[in-house]
Amino acid sequence: MTSARAGRLIALWAVFLGVHALVAVLGWIYPSQPMGDVVLVYEPWSAAAVGGGAIVGITEQWVYPQLALLPMLVAKLLSLPLVPLLGASGAYLVAWAVLVTALDAVAFRVLLDRATSRPHRIAGWTWSAALFLLGPIAMYRIDAVTVPLVVIGGLLLRKRPAVAAALLTIGAWIKIWPGALIVAAVLAGRMRTRMLLTAAAVTAAVVVLLFLLGADGELFGFLTEQTGRGLQIEAVAATPFLWLAITGTARIEYSFDILTFQIAAAGADVVTAVLTPLMIVAVLVIAVIGSIKAMRGASFPRLFPPLALALVSALIVTNKVGSPQFQTWLIAPVLLWIVFDRTRARVPVVVVLLLCALTCLIYPLSYDALLRAELVPVLLLSARNILLIVLLAIGIRALVRVPVKP
């Protein structure tokens, strides 16, 4: 290794780990308790499972796919030596931050395996920038565990498609969104059968294990639990209602069932009912465009990145939930776009970084004001949501423009 390459690697690692440390500490400093889900929800779930109580996803319905409990349990085990010093809550927060950092470091090592490649280095810097701009929400949510799995899986798609499909499927059993990368990989790749069989085998293994553990009616509870949700205030479709809330013709209410703030206004239920069918249609349309491009001979490096980003963006834009951690979903697709097709990744990367910055300004920095429907945070959230629609349009436009063989 040359001294220049060693210096670049050291700088990349120093910034990457430094950003993780800074973001982890900011979770304790920023308002609105951005690490609240970890200590108020994940820790009690894992404590109950370890202590012989209810096991979410097994003995009772749960909002997440069942494998999401595994990193929560790992964090609980990691926290045990720290409990005498920090207490149960503080120890769990530290353990969670360490777990996320370790997983990200493994993915970062895979990403920098070809550090002599400029796209890989740019992707490394982009990842650090996205984490810094998005802030604590990039670490203190279960979504943070899926990002490194998707990064590693995406990087292995061309050389080890079966391993990649397994990692992406595991990610989808933690949080559903990595399934969009499986769809993109199957449509754009050349080893579809192998990836499909691997994904089916991993899913079958998970289902059998869950049955053996006692899950039956709770097996797909993470799907049915979402059906009764209202329109969350940060969802793209909720944007007009926020402006109505400023005038007093709509209300922001807290749902104790879902533990989130939702819109209460005339027409909100209709919008909520339309969003899921709209999501299905959007995903199908994007998938059809991608499959047509693949059948006409589009190359994987040109087809996969915009297809993956368009699918993930569609899941966010048409979602009745608009949680700030959804922005972490966008990090992996743009990193892979940089690696596979750097020239055309510039605009999506800039947009995603802007989305990360705007999201942090909204949550946690001005979230209390947003709940009061004040003008500035509503403006920020409106800009963020419009930019999400723009990103979806960018992904679809790039997908349509993917060249095919004559």
Side-chain angles (χ1 to χ4, degrees):
M1 182 186 297
T2 64
S3 59
R5 183 189 175 192
R8 288 194 294 265
L9 277 174
I10 292 172
L12 279 164
W13 274 106
V15 171
F16 189 69
L17 296 176
V19 165
H20 276 79
L22 174 62
V23 169
V25 172
L26 289 175
W28 298 70
I29 298 173
Y30 277 176
S32 300
Q33 202 173 16
M35 71 288 201
D37 279 19
V38 174
V39 70
L40 299 177
V41 185
Y42 302 170
E43 196 277 333
W45 282 335
S46 57
V50 171
I55 303 176
V56 287
I58 303 295
T59 62
E60 61 180 43
Q61 294 281 345
W62 201 27
V63 295
Y64 296 136
Q66 284 82 349
L67 291 190
L69 185 59
L70 290 180
M72 298 177 191
L73 291 173
V74 172
K76 184 62 178 177
L77 294 176
L78 291 175
S79 72
L80 294 179
L82 300 174
V83 171
L85 294 174
L86 303 173
S89 297
Y92 194 81
L93 283 170
V94 172
W96 183 267
V98 170
L99 175 63
V100 171
T101 302
L103 292 172
D104 282 355
V106 173
F108 202 64
R109 172 65 182 83
V110 175
L111 176 64
L112 296 184
D113 186 51
R114 294 177 56 194
T116 54
S117 167
R118 191 179 181 195
H120 286 74
R121 296 198 306 272
I122 294 175
W125 290 116
T126 301
W127 195 350
S128 294
L131 287 172
F132 174 75
L133 293 172
L134 187 53
I137 202 68
M139 291 184 66
Y140 291 109
R141 290 296 186 274
I142 189 63
D143 308 67
V145 175
T146 60
V147 174
L149 290 175
V150 175
V151 170
I152 297 172
L155 292 170
L156 295 177
L157 276 172
R158 286 192 287 184
K159 292 185 177 180
R160 297 185 178 179
V163 176
L167 288 172
L168 293 174
T169 305
I170 292 171
W173 273 98
I174 295 175
K175 199 72 186 284
I176 298 174
W177 75 271
L181 278 291
I182 300 174
V183 172
V186 168
L187 293 177
R190 293 290 180 263
M191 296 185 179
R192 299 179 181 89
T193 302
R194 182 182 298 181
M195 286 189 285
L196 284 172
L197 289 175
T198 302
V202 172
T203 296
V206 171
V207 170
V208 169
L209 177 61
L210 292 175
F211 267 119
L212 292 175
L213 292 174
D216 38 51
E218 294 79 17
L219 189 61
F220 296 106
F222 59 92
L223 296 176
T224 57
E225 281 286 293
Q226 301 290 336
T227 56
R229 295 190 74 140
L231 186 63
Q232 189 180 359
I233 61 171
E234 294 150 279
V236 173
T239 306
F241 293 104
L242 287 176
W243 288 97
L244 293 177
I246 291 178
T247 65
T249 51
R251 300 189 313 278
I252 296 174
E253 296 182 347
Y254 187 74
S255 169
F256 289 94
D257 293 330
I258 306 296
L259 305 179
T260 190
F261 290 93
Q262 300 180 161
I263 293 292
D269 291 340
V270 175
V271 172
T272 304
V274 169
L275 284 175
T276 299
L278 180 61
M279 178 186 293
I280 295 171
V281 171
V283 168
L284 286 176
V285 169
I286 293 169
V288 167
I289 297 172
S291 62
I292 292 173
K293 290 289 184 178
M295 287 187 293
R296 292 182 177 178
S299 68
F300 179 84
R302 287 294 303 271
L303 178 57
F304 174 75
L307 178 56
L309 183 64
L311 287 170
V312 173
S313 299
L315 293 180
I316 298 174
V317 170
T318 59
N319 210 310
K320 56 186 174 182
V321 181
S323 301
Q325 62 265 28
F326 284 8
Q327 309 312 307
T328 61
W329 303 1
L330 301 169
I331 296 174
V334 294
L335 295 182
L336 296 172
W337 200 336
I338 294 170
V339 171
F340 292 144
D341 187 20
R342 177 171 58 94
T343 303
R344 278 159 284 272
R346 293 170 184 168
V347 173
V349 166
V350 171
V351 173
V352 168
L353 292 179
L354 285 174
L355 284 167
C356 289
L358 285 171
T359 299
C360 186
L361 289 174
I362 298 158
Y363 184 88
L365 295 180
S366 62
Y367 197 66
D368 288 342
L370 177 65
L371 297 179
R372 297 190 296 268
E374 295 183 7
L375 178 61
V376 172
V378 171
L379 276 171
L380 289 172
L381 183 55
S382 300
R384 198 281 305 270
N385 288 344
I386 291 171
L387 203 57
L388 280 169
I389 298 173
V390 170
L391 183 66
L392 174 59
I394 289 171
I396 294 175
R397 179 175 179 270
L399 181 60
V400 171
R401 293 172 63 126
V402 171
V404 297
K405 294 180 180 179

